[in-house]
Amino acid sequence: KLLETNNFVYNLKVNEVWFMPALLTPLKDRKLTDFKLRVKMIKKAIQPYRKMKVSLLEASLPTPSYTINTVLELKKRYPQTKFYWIIGADQAVKLHQWKDSERLKDEVQLVCVSRDQTALVKEDKMIIYLSGEIDHHSAKDIRESVDRLLIMQRPDKLILDLSGVDFMDSSGLGLILGRYRKIKESGGEMYLAN
């Protein structure tokens, strides 16, 4: 996860990444690890990275910790700052369950992160940053993740940024061609970058 976050900082040229542990999250069906312990673990994990820090903002907000409330508070406290909100692919498919999810999309730039790629969605455009090796071992997971995002976001333009890809075999080419067919079938366009 930290390597992905570091790639995100590099790819989008953000100044900092703030880790924001929730005090009490409404969509978890299990009890969270103690808040103070999670903060301590995050601080230890990000210690080597100067552009990463922990924010305790959610501890001061009413519970449960709704993302829309956190985003609105951040924008109120830091009106000159542009924020991106990083979520995991598992949460991206549940976004419709989040409180005021449509307003959230208007208030902040959402970025979806999974094991092998990061997706930036803005208006009608989705940029997916692929990284590592794309081969017969990883192509299926990447394909499924990208397809979930395409179904959920329905972008007019899909951009696959390959700048972080170290190796790609024919499975990777199949992944690209398959996404090209999918976006074309829905009337959209696809571009390759880097």
Side-chain angles (χ1 to χ4, degrees), residues 27-29 87-99 101 152:
L27 295 179
K28 293 278 187 202
D29 56 357
I87 60 173
D90 61 318
Q91 290 301 310
V93 296
K94 299 176 187 176
L95 192 62
H96 65 281
Q97 297 175 357
W98 291 22
K99 180 181 177 186
S101 62
M152 183 183 72

Side-chain angles (χ1 to χ4, degrees), residues 20 22 24-27 57-58 61-77 83-87 91 94-110:
M20 191 141 333
L24 176 65
T25 182
L27 295 179
L57 175 66
E58 287 206 356
L61 297 177
T63 56
S65 301
Y66 292 113
T67 302
I68 187 66
N69 296 343
T70 305
V71 167
L72 293 174
E73 185 63 27
L74 283 168
K75 289 177 80 173
K76 187 170 104 180
R77 291 183 185 196
F83 288 99
Y84 294 89
W85 198 266
I86 305 171
I87 60 173
Q91 290 301 310
K94 299 176 187 176
L95 192 62
H96 65 281
Q97 297 175 357
W98 291 22
K99 180 181 177 186
D100 298 332
S101 62
E102 290 304 314
R103 181 174 180 201
L104 180 63
K105 290 184 211 176
D106 292 334
E107 294 289 343
V108 71
Q109 179 67 65
L110 294 175

Side-chain angles (χ1 to χ4, degrees), residues 58 95 124 134 141 148 158-159 161 174 194:
E58 287 206 356
L95 192 62
D124 63 344
I134 303 176
D141 290 340
R148 276 194 306 269
L158 171 63
I159 300 167
D161 186 317
N194 298 313

Side-chain angles (χ1 to χ4, degrees), residues 8 13 16-17 26 36-39 49 64 72 82 89 107 113 117-118 127 136 150 158 165:
F8 170 77
K13 298 176 178 43
E16 292 181 323
V17 174
K36 289 178 183 175
L37 179 58
R38 284 184 287 132
V39 169
Y49 304 97
L72 293 174
K82 178 179 181 180
E107 294 289 343
V113 177
Q117 69 270 344
T118 302
I127 305 170
H136 68 282
L150 289 173
L158 171 63
V165 174

